[in-house]
């Protein structure tokens, strides 16, 4: 015999259907929710009452017009809060608060700088998050960092020749007093790959490599539709892949730019303006160096597609030079990344999903009597 689901389980399932419908529709009447979910209107009315009493839903005060009895429009209560989305780059720390409908409701920014160190970076992150937290409860956070990230701790990792050095920053600890829920930290290249997978040039492709070619160098590996971070989270650090140098000798990919005087002064960061100005004379050698990196990725992860992202990675000249070279041992397609600010788009999409899940979880906890007010 199959046990019947408990009343508590049925209620929690109904409540989730109601919340998911409202998160998609932003404001709905009970009749509209019943039509969208296929659940009877009396059951929906009971759920709306429970969720309103729990402080998760609120009557907006708006009413339907026309013939028949007026219906009330319900939406999420302001107390459900927002998700924090932040990116840490040499340009500074930029943050936004995003609600469960996907709207950016507030923004903040703090200046930083290259090689700022962990104390300045922590202060900047704390500043922007604190400014947003003053206006609304922050229920979760997603951070994009232009440095390698330890997947177990969320700490930033300092590797040799990294152009953006801020040391052993711990965003999870910095944000703990300001964010009530989980804080997820990942590398900006991984977030970019997720964004291109979900709505960019890699849509529908389960196995691809995203090459980030900018002031810094990086890659993300997507296999079976998921970003693969590796044991410690450092998959895709291509700066030290051995490839072909400008004179044909073997060297680390990052050293190609040292050998060709294409680094910014006193740093390993690539001088993008100088690189573009010298495409006519360095592009053939650069394409050979890039091809060596691609061959390594083909050998180890077997992608269907190589996506070129970053400021100079998206230049048509780079794609033409790379695709026009000798054929690889296994065929692979190339594409230019299509999204602007993909790292922020990827982090934002994950933050919205995380916030919606947190709201549903809170409603379930309320139903079980586990909590009294939103955490």
């Amino acid at each position: 015999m199959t046990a019947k689901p408990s009343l508590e389980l049925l209620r929690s399932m109904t409540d989730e259907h109601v919340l998911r419908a409202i998160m998609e529709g932003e404001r709905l009447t009970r009749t509209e929710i019943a039509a969208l979910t296929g659940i009877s209107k009396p059951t929906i009315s009971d759920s709306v009452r429970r969720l309103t009493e729990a402080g998760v839903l609120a009557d907006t005060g708006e009413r339907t017009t026309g013939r028949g009895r007026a219906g009330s429009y319900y939406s999420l209560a302001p107390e459900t809060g927002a998700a924090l989305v932040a990116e840490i780059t040499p340009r500074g720390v930029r943050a936004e608060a995003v609600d469960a409908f996907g709207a950016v409701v507030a923004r903040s920014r703090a200046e930083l700088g290259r090689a700022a160190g962990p104390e300045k970076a922590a202060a900047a992150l704390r500043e922007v998050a604190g400014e947003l937290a003053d206006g609304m409860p922050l229920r979760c956070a997603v951070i994009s960092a232009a440095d390698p990230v330890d997947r177990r701790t969320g700490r930033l990792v300092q590797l040799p020749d990294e152009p953006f050095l801020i040391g052993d920053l711990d965003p999870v600890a910095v944000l703990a007093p300001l964010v009530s829920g989980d804080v997820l930290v990942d590398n900006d290249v991984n977030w970019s790959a997720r964004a291109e997978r979900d709505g960019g040039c890699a849509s529908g492709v389960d196995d691809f490599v995203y090459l980030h070619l900018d002031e810094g160098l990086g890659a993300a590996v997507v296999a079976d539709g998921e970003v693969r971070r590796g044991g410690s989270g450092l998959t895709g650090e291509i700066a030290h892949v051995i490839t072909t140098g400008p004179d044909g000798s073997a060297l680390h990919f990052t050293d190609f730019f040292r050998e060709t005087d294409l680094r910014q002064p006193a740093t390993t960061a690539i001088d993008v303006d100088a690189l573009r100005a010298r495409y006519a004379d360095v592009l053939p050698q650069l394409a050979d160096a890039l091809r060596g990196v691609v061959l390594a990725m083909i050998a180890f992860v077997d992608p269907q597609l190589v996506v070129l992202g970053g400021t100079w990675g998206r230049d048509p000249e780079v794609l033409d030079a790379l695709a026009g070279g000798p054929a690889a041992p296994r065929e692979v397609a190339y594409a230019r990344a299509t999204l602007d600010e993909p790292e922020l788009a990827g982090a934002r999409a994950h933050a919205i999903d995380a916030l919606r899940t947190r709201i549903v979880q809170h409603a379930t906890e309320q139903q079980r009597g586990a909590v009294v007010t939103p955490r």
Side-chain angles (χ1 to χ4, degrees), residues 64-150:
T64 57
T65 57
R67 299 176 61 183
R69 184 177 178 181
S72 301
Y73 283 99
Y74 289 86
S75 188
L76 294 177
E79 292 76 20
T80 53
L84 170 69
V85 182
E87 65 167 354
I88 307 170
T89 74
R91 299 180 298 276
V93 179
R94 183 169 51 157
E96 56 188 38
V98 183
D99 66 20
F101 307 122
V104 178
V105 294
R107 289 185 172 91
S108 182
R109 183 185 179 94
E111 297 300 321
L112 199 53
R114 194 175 302 283
E119 292 184 3
K120 288 184 179 179
L125 181 59
R126 192 177 298 111
E127 176 187 338
V128 297
E131 185 175 320
L132 296 177
D134 283 343
M136 68 205 75
L138 299 177
R139 303 302 183 192
C140 58
V142 176
I143 311 301
S144 169
D147 261 349
V149 176
D150 187 314

Side-chain angles (χ1 to χ4, degrees), residues 23-348:
M23 288 171 189
E24 291 295 331
E26 193 163 345
R27 66 179 190 96
L28 297 171
T29 66
R30 287 169 290 188
T31 300
E32 289 172 333
I33 298 170
L36 288 169
T37 61
I39 301 172
S40 70
K41 187 175 177 182
T43 302
I44 292 297
S45 296
D46 288 342
S47 176
V48 168
R49 175 185 53 76
R50 287 194 301 272
L51 293 169
T52 303
E53 291 174 352
V56 182
L57 291 185
D59 185 335
T60 66
E62 299 174 85
R63 301 289 182 268
T64 57
T65 57
R67 299 176 61 183
R69 184 177 178 181
S72 301
Y73 283 99
Y74 289 86
S75 188
L76 294 177
E79 292 76 20
T80 53
L84 170 69
V85 182
E87 65 167 354
I88 307 170
T89 74
R91 299 180 298 276
V93 179
R94 183 169 51 157
E96 56 188 38
V98 183
D99 66 20
F101 307 122
V104 178
V105 294
R107 289 185 172 91
S108 182
R109 183 185 179 94
E111 297 300 321
L112 199 53
R114 194 175 302 283
E119 292 184 3
K120 288 184 179 179
L125 181 59
R126 192 177 298 111
E127 176 187 338
V128 297
E131 185 175 320
L132 296 177
D134 283 343
M136 68 205 75
L138 299 177
R139 303 302 183 192
C140 58
V142 176
I143 311 301
S144 169
D147 261 349
V149 176
D150 187 314
R151 67 176 298 176
R152 293 184 295 270
T153 66
R155 287 178 176 270
L156 274 58
V157 179
Q158 184 170 318
L159 297 178
D161 292 333
E162 284 291 329
F164 180 44
L165 301 176
I166 59 176
D168 189 26
L169 175 67
D170 187 353
V172 177
V174 171
L175 295 174
L178 301 168
V179 178
S180 62
D182 293 336
V183 177
L184 176 62
V185 189
D186 202 357
N187 179 265
D188 57 348
V189 185
N190 287 340
W191 289 121
S192 296
R194 292 182 180 99
E196 290 291 342
R197 174 199 65 191
D198 294 340
C201 67
S203 294
V205 181
D206 287 337
D207 300 276
F208 68 93
V209 170
Y210 182 101
L211 296 184
H212 176 79
L213 306 173
D214 208 300
E215 291 185 1
L217 303 167
V221 175
V222 177
D224 298 326
E226 297 296 330
V227 171
R228 303 303 178 184
R229 301 179 67 187
S232 58
L234 304 184
T235 294
E237 294 299 324
I238 59 172
H240 291 90
V241 169
I242 301 296
T243 188
T244 305
D247 60 355
S249 61
L251 83 176
H252 293 132
F253 187 32
T254 183
D255 290 334
F256 176 92
F257 303 93
R258 182 196 63 200
E259 295 295 315
T260 51
D261 295 321
L262 289 171
R263 286 180 171 178
Q264 298 179 24
T267 176
T268 60
I270 296 167
D271 188 330
V272 176
D273 291 336
L275 172 62
R276 284 170 164 165
R278 293 178 53 193
Y279 271 165
D281 63 283
V282 303
L283 198 52
Q285 292 83 9
L286 177 57
D288 286 341
L290 265 174
R291 199 169 291 113
V293 174
V294 171
L295 288 174
M297 304 301 273
I298 290 174
F300 285 103
V301 300
D302 191 26
Q304 298 171 259
L305 175 71
V306 174
V307 177
L308 302 179
T311 51
W312 61 270
R314 295 173 66 182
D315 288 349
E317 300 94 326
V318 175
L319 176 59
D320 292 342
L322 185 58
R330 292 198 296 275
E331 184 176 352
V332 64
Y334 292 95
R336 293 163 56 206
T338 56
L339 301 178
D340 295 325
E341 299 184 330
E343 65 284 350
L344 202 57
R348 185 186 299 119

